[in-house]
Amino acid sequence: MAPAILLNTNKTDRRLPVTLLSGFLGSGKTTLLENILTSPDHGFRVGVIVNDVGALNIDAALLSSHDVTRKEEQIVAMQNGCICCTLRGDLLEEVARLAEERQVEYLVIESSGVSEPMQVAETFSEEFADMHIAAGYDLESEEQGDQVKNKKLAEILKAGGLSKIARLDTCVTLVDAVNFMQDFATADFLVDRQTDVPEEDDRNISDLQVDQVEFADVVVVNKCDLVSKEEVHRIEGVVGKLNPGAKVVSTVKSRLNLTDILDTWLFSYEKAALSAGWLKSLNEEINPETEEYGIGTFVYRARRPFHPARLWDMIKSVFVVIQTEYQVEDMDVESDRDETDDNDNDEDEDIDMEEQPQLNPKARLASKMTDETFGPLLRSKGFLWLATRPRMYGEWSQAGVMLTISGQDLWRCEIPEDEWPTDPETRKGITRDFEGRWGDRRQELVFIGQQMRNGGEKRLRKALDACLLGDEEFRDWEETMESDNVLEKLDELFEDGFEDWIETSHDGHDHTNGHDHTI
């Protein structure tokens, strides 16, 4: 066995190093695991946590020199009910066992094809240690479930969670070169492709692919022998725009230099949470007005609100628009009745789907792909300002045909300054966003796609500009903002069919700085 190659050894840090592998089914994660376990070059006794040990095509004698475990996910929910802040109980227990026994020198975790790496990374991150400690005490007092297992998990959590005994070294995402671009041109949801996800899982393929790429330290573009060199370059261009800081490695059969993914010391939760290309473009850390391999980026900015009706008209036929619907608790009976009515009118629904193709995801996909303006668009994200909602900003998050629009938080100009963060640099950054009479209200959207320098950017800007309030409309808006009953009058001025946005308290669970919830 060759001596271990350590890229950045910290001899004072004795925590178990971990590489996390993410990627869709068929992207090559299992093949990469086989390469790691059969390689004589890295010098580590490796522990591996996989979804399916039987899928590893490795001699049993070789497996005996490593530690390979299959674990079903057990979810430990946090008291605040936040989906992204759940902990994988069996994962916690298994990593703790491996770290305590010290029988392995390195751990590789193969996440499921439908997992979001940010969620797993939170389990290892010191930033969430206080939350893990609180969860430990909650679990300790839990009277239901397996008391022995709960007690064991509670001890791990109360000690600060996995960040005290293991360190996440590298987040690796594998993408399948054959299907990568096609997965931006799909109307599929996870339930359409996966048999192991619950029916209520409403995530879609395009969003999940983007999430996995944007959070990675290393992106492996695999199966490059099955596509042309031009296609490989195009994929590398898209990945470079989605995650400018990631190392991109192109492979055949997941063969690569293992020093690219083992013991790299690349992972930082803060860096990963802020690594997305759209966010770097907004923060002006990179020049967005560039194009590589035919993939371009630009930032759309405006200091006028969108007319809600015109914005909806622009997006309704070319995107599957995903919104959060809020229901009042005492309307359960009404909801049940509506559901019954729907069941009674299945035939009418079928007719509606034919007459209104915008209700059909596949029809919207076909419409988008033939649309000169939006067809080449792969990814866009940022903040938007609607004329009828002057207090809150909305989030726009699009991948492929899927567009999520949701209310986020109050504009900073609506928050008293004594409630702003106290850090001087942060406050300076907030004030930089202020301009003129209406504070930090603005449109700020990053667009990533093909043909940007070939008329694509110009067409997108024209479409978005047409949604802004015109001069007379904006004068009416400004006058209304100085009157009584502002929201009622704005609703009279501008038609708004978007779902309601609910203002939330600023106390408690903070989801700023990249820790967001993309539906």
Side-chain angles (χ1 to χ4, degrees):
M1 181 178 287
I5 303 170
L6 303 180
L7 299 185
N8 188 359
T9 304
N10 181 349
K11 297 192 177 185
T12 63
D13 192 336
R14 295 180 57 80
R15 294 177 298 169
L16 179 65
V18 179
T19 287
L20 173 66
L21 303 183
S22 300
F24 286 167
L25 185 68
S27 61
K29 298 193 302 292
T30 301
T31 304
L32 180 53
L33 276 176
E34 292 171 3
N35 294 343
I36 292 170
L37 291 172
T38 56
S39 172
D41 297 330
H42 53 69
F44 293 114
R45 177 174 169 81
V46 178
V48 177
I49 298 176
V50 298
N51 290 302
D52 183 5
V53 177
L56 285 171
N57 185 26
I58 300 175
D59 185 86
L62 178 63
L63 284 180
S64 66
S65 65
H66 297 286
D67 190 313
V68 180
T69 309
R70 180 184 186 273
K71 279 293 175 184
E72 296 282 355
E73 282 192 338
Q74 173 201 356
I75 305 301
V76 180
M78 307 298 258
Q79 195 170 32
N80 56 35
C82 170
I83 293 173
C84 78
C85 296
T86 56
L87 299 170
R88 275 89 186 132
D90 281 6
L91 177 64
L92 282 167
E93 194 175 331
E94 190 60 23
V95 174
R97 178 187 73 80
L98 292 169
E100 183 180 349
E101 291 178 355
R102 296 194 175 277
Q103 294 299 306
V104 299
E105 301 154 313
Y106 205 97
L107 176 61
V108 180
I109 298 173
E110 177 202 30
S111 66
S112 71
V114 300
S115 72
E116 297 167 39
M118 178 183 278
Q119 295 182 10
V120 183
E122 287 171 356
T123 309
F124 289 89
S125 298
E126 294 177 0
E127 288 87 345
F128 295 88
D130 289 345
M131 194 179 294
H132 295 164
I133 292 169
Y137 283 103
D138 289 342
L139 191 61
E140 191 176 46
S141 61
E142 180 65 54
E143 295 181 357
Q144 297 180 346
D146 187 330
Q147 294 296 304
V148 175
K149 183 176 287 254
N150 285 354
K151 183 178 180 181
K152 190 180 295 185
L153 288 175
E155 291 304 316
I156 297 169
L157 291 167
K158 288 194 302 179
L162 293 183
S163 64
K164 300 300 180 184
I165 55 177
R167 65 171 181 85
L168 188 54
D169 178 82
T170 318
C171 275
V172 180
T173 292
L174 287 89
V175 300
D176 175 358
V178 176
N179 294 311
F180 182 75
M181 296 303 294
Q182 294 178 29
D183 283 336
F184 279 104
T186 181
D188 286 352
F189 288 78
L190 286 183
V191 293
D192 298 322
R193 295 193 186 180
Q194 300 280 149
T195 58
D196 57 346
V197 296
E199 288 185 12
E200 61 270 19
D201 192 328
D202 59 0
R203 292 176 298 163
N204 62 77
I205 294 295
S206 299
D207 273 337
L208 181 56
Q209 175 167 265
V210 165
D211 287 342
Q212 291 181 349
V213 169
E214 287 182 341
F215 197 76
D217 299 306
V218 180
V219 178
V220 178
V221 182
N222 192 32
K223 302 186 180 179
C224 291
D225 56 324
L226 302 181
V227 299
S228 66
K229 287 184 179 179
E230 291 74 20
E231 181 69 359
V232 172
H233 288 323
R234 185 162 67 129
I235 295 168
E236 290 171 342
V238 173
V239 170
K241 294 299 183 185
L242 293 175
N243 188 342
K247 182 170 186 172
V248 183
V249 182
S250 299
T251 66
V252 173
K253 296 182 179 177
S254 301
R255 288 193 295 265
L256 47 71
N257 187 336
L258 294 178
T259 59
D260 288 335
I261 62 169
L262 300 180
D263 210 38
T264 68
W265 291 79
L266 286 174
F267 181 77
S268 153
Y269 185 86
E270 181 180 6
K271 184 191 76 168
L274 301 174
S275 64
W278 71 270
L279 194 54
K280 286 181 176 290
S281 295
L282 288 188
N283 293 338
E284 299 180 347
E285 295 176 33
I286 58 173
N287 177 16
E289 313 296 332
T290 57
E291 183 165 299
E292 190 174 12
Y293 302 128
I295 308 299
T297 308
F298 76 93
V299 181
Y300 178 83
R301 291 185 171 95
R303 289 283 174 168
R304 284 193 184 187
F306 285 133
H307 189 299
R310 289 204 293 272
L311 182 66
W312 178 255
D313 285 341
M314 181 185 77
I315 64 177
K316 69 180 181 181
S317 62
V318 292
F319 293 114
V320 176
V321 182
I322 302 169
Q323 301 181 76
T324 301
E325 184 177 353
Y326 297 94
Q327 291 186 335
V328 181
E329 289 184 7
D330 60 4
M331 294 183 67
D332 287 344
V333 176
E334 184 74 26
S335 297
D336 290 341
R337 192 190 72 192
D338 290 345
E339 199 171 304
T340 303
D341 291 343
D342 287 345
N343 292 335
D344 291 341
N345 294 305
D346 284 345
E347 191 173 322
D348 292 341
E349 281 188 10
D350 292 338
I351 295 171
D352 285 345
M353 292 286 269
E354 293 173 8
E355 293 178 350
Q356 302 182 62
Q358 71 269 22
L359 298 179
N360 184 332
K362 286 185 167 47
R364 292 197 208 184
L365 175 62
S367 178
K368 176 183 183 296
M369 298 310 292
T370 57
D371 189 276
E372 187 181 29
T373 300
F374 293 99
L377 184 63
L378 300 172
R379 170 68 164 153
S380 57
K381 188 161 181 173
F383 311 104
L384 63 99
W385 172 20
L386 290 183
T388 47
R389 308 179 188 207
R391 283 176 53 79
M392 293 181 69
Y393 65 87
E395 182 186 64
W396 165 299
S397 181
Q398 170 262 333
V401 75
M402 303 295 177
L403 170 61
T404 299
I405 291 181
S406 56
Q408 289 299 298
D409 207 340
L410 299 179
W411 293 105
R412 290 291 185 180
C413 59
E414 290 286 339
I415 302 173
E417 287 192 35
D418 59 5
E419 294 182 22
W420 290 7
T422 56
D423 177 66
E425 286 302 312
T426 303
R427 293 176 73 91
K428 192 183 297 182
I430 291 172
T431 56
R432 274 199 298 268
D433 291 330
F434 278 60
E435 182 180 301
R437 184 177 175 187
W438 302 111
D440 60 329
R441 296 181 179 92
R442 65 199 186 278
Q443 316 294 351
E444 204 165 56
L445 299 164
V446 179
F447 291 86
I448 301 171
Q450 304 171 84
Q451 303 176 19
M452 288 300 187
R453 304 290 88 81
N454 191 28
E457 177 182 341
K458 186 176 180 180
R459 288 188 289 272
L460 283 165
R461 287 188 181 277
K462 182 179 179 181
L464 292 162
D465 285 345
C467 297
L468 298 173
L469 297 188
D471 292 343
E472 187 174 340
E473 289 172 324
F474 193 45
R475 281 194 294 271
D476 290 342
W477 184 88
E478 290 186 308
E479 288 178 10
T480 303
M481 287 294 290
E482 301 295 342
S483 67
D484 297 328
N485 302 320
V486 171
L487 296 182
E488 289 181 20
K489 292 181 178 178
L490 288 176
D491 282 338
E492 293 172 4
L493 276 175
F494 308 108
E495 181 184 351
D496 183 348
F498 287 96
E499 293 291 344
D500 290 339
W501 297 349
I502 305 300
E503 289 187 22
T504 55
S505 168
H506 286 265
D507 299 328
H509 199 42
D510 184 7
H511 288 98
T512 57
N513 295 327
H515 184 58
D516 63 357
H517 293 89
T518 303
I519 297 172

